[in-house]
Amino acid sequence: MIFAPALDAPLLGVNIDHVATLRNARGGPFPDPVAAALLAVEAGADIITFHLREDRRHIRDEDVARLKQLIRAPLNFEAAVTDEMLDIIERTRPEHVCLVPERRQEVTTEGGLEVAGQKPRLREACARLAAAGCRVSLFIDADPAQIEAAAEVGAPCIELHTGAYANAWWAQDAAEMARLRARLHAGLQRGRALGLRTHAGHGLALWSPGTTRPAPDAPSSTAVIAALPEVAELHIGHALMGHAVFVGLAQAIRDFQAEAIQARAAAR
Ligand SMILES: CC(=O)[C@@H](O)[C@H](O)COP(=O)(O)O
Ligand SMILES: NCC(=O)COP(=O)(O)O
């Protein structure tokens, strides 16, 4: 049988934050996250994702300016809903924006954005960013109340936080994986029923060198989530850059894309 890529396979947003983390560890210019983004686009990344944190722990303002200047693929600018960030986004005008929750003490984004509890603020932010020409996504948990609130405040897209599923997958906790996959799937379906474009991301991985596959046919977390037909985009950073340590960045991108394409094709 000839392998034909599934045309509806999710787009891959490559998150470059972790290249900046490595650069910042030594205070110099190397490795440059913008150079990594250029290479990622050349290797076939559909979207370049980055998170400008309020504490600038990885991506910095000058990286954002250079990304805008040099990257020809759509940029997905992740940011907290603060006046400072909204101003920077308006000036930068990335194609896509993903509004995320932020807590200074967290190691990474721990949960989804509280939309239901701050609808006026989110409605205003979505309208402001849409007026700047940005497609807005809200990074939320697969909670029906948050998904409905996202539709109510006028966000055209949601990205469901897959971190809990990813953690269960690393632990190979079968019951928790099944429960969280079902919850994510229900959330994606609810989002689609409300007319939202539905994305997923956080912590997704594949069986890289150095990981132990529990059984020859055990799927990766990326494959499980990519197989859900409502996922239009996947945003992956940490594990993709980790995989790149072993295979190189271009090959890592091809590996994650192949994983998603094959999982989606097998699920049809
Ligand atoms: C919002 C999200 O899930 C990721 O983009 C993640 O927050 C990246 O930020 P860190 O790289 O700081 O974990
Ligand atoms: N929004 C999720 C993202 O961009 C990547 O998250 P991670 O794979 O670095 O955990």
Side-chain angles (χ1 to χ4, degrees):
M1 190 182 108
I2 297 170
F3 175 70
L7 293 176
D8 68 345
L11 299 178
L12 178 63
V14 173
N15 185 314
I16 55 166
D17 295 352
H18 304 284
V19 181
T21 300
L22 192 57
R23 172 195 63 190
N24 298 354
R26 289 290 172 95
F30 182 82
D32 176 10
V34 182
L38 282 165
L39 199 158
V41 172
E42 201 179 309
D46 299 296
I47 298 163
I48 296 298
T49 294
F50 58 93
H51 185 171
L52 184 67
R53 279 187 172 266
E54 290 178 87
D55 62 9
R56 310 302 200 265
R57 68 173 71 162
H58 40 56
I59 296 293
R60 298 171 177 154
D61 299 60
E62 54 272 28
D63 297 325
V64 174
R66 289 172 59 234
L67 286 164
K68 176 66 183 176
Q69 194 187 352
L70 295 171
I71 301 301
R72 292 291 154 250
L75 297 178
N76 179 39
F77 190 144
E78 297 184 329
V81 194
T82 64
D83 291 338
E84 182 204 18
M85 286 299 150
L86 296 179
D87 287 347
I88 295 172
I89 294 167
E90 277 182 332
R91 284 199 302 276
T92 308
R93 293 180 178 261
E95 287 78 2
H96 308 324
V97 174
C98 184
L99 296 175
V100 308
E102 224 175 87
R103 215 169 55 82
R104 285 287 161 87
Q105 296 80 7
E106 68 190 359
V107 172
T108 186
T109 311
E110 287 168 345
L113 190 63
E114 173 57 48
V115 184
Q118 48 171 351
K119 282 189 212 163
R121 174 90 180 118
L122 267 302
R123 189 176 285 115
E124 188 196 333
C126 287
R128 210 174 136 179
L129 297 175
C134 306
R135 187 197 72 181
V136 181
S137 171
L138 302 181
F139 189 68
I140 57 176
D141 289 322
D143 171 350
Q146 301 300 338
I147 296 165
E148 276 150 35
E152 275 179 53
V153 300
C157 312
I158 52 173
E159 179 175 331
L160 294 190
H161 193 318
T162 55
Y165 176 82
N167 290 340
W169 176 82
W170 280 116
Q172 285 296 295
D173 179 339
E176 195 62 352
M177 284 157 66
R179 185 182 76 79
L180 292 169
R181 178 195 171 281
R183 182 173 160 79
L184 284 164
H185 196 194
L188 293 161
Q189 289 175 321
R190 183 77 193 116
R192 283 288 283 270
L194 290 165
L196 300 171
R197 180 177 162 90
T198 46
H199 309 158
H202 201 90
L204 297 175
L206 43 70
W207 297 112
S208 291
T211 61
T212 308
R213 197 174 190 135
D217 59 349
S220 69
S221 51
T222 295
V224 171
I225 302 302
L228 302 174
E230 296 82 8
V231 176
E233 285 175 24
L234 285 174
H235 294 276
I236 306 183
H238 182 262
L240 190 151
M241 293 305 165
H243 188 56
V245 169
F246 297 97
V247 303
L249 181 53
Q251 187 61 44
I253 289 166
R254 290 193 287 269
D255 288 350
F256 272 84
Q257 282 177 325
E259 191 85 345
I261 288 168
Q262 285 167 18
R264 180 64 65 85
R268 287 204 298 187

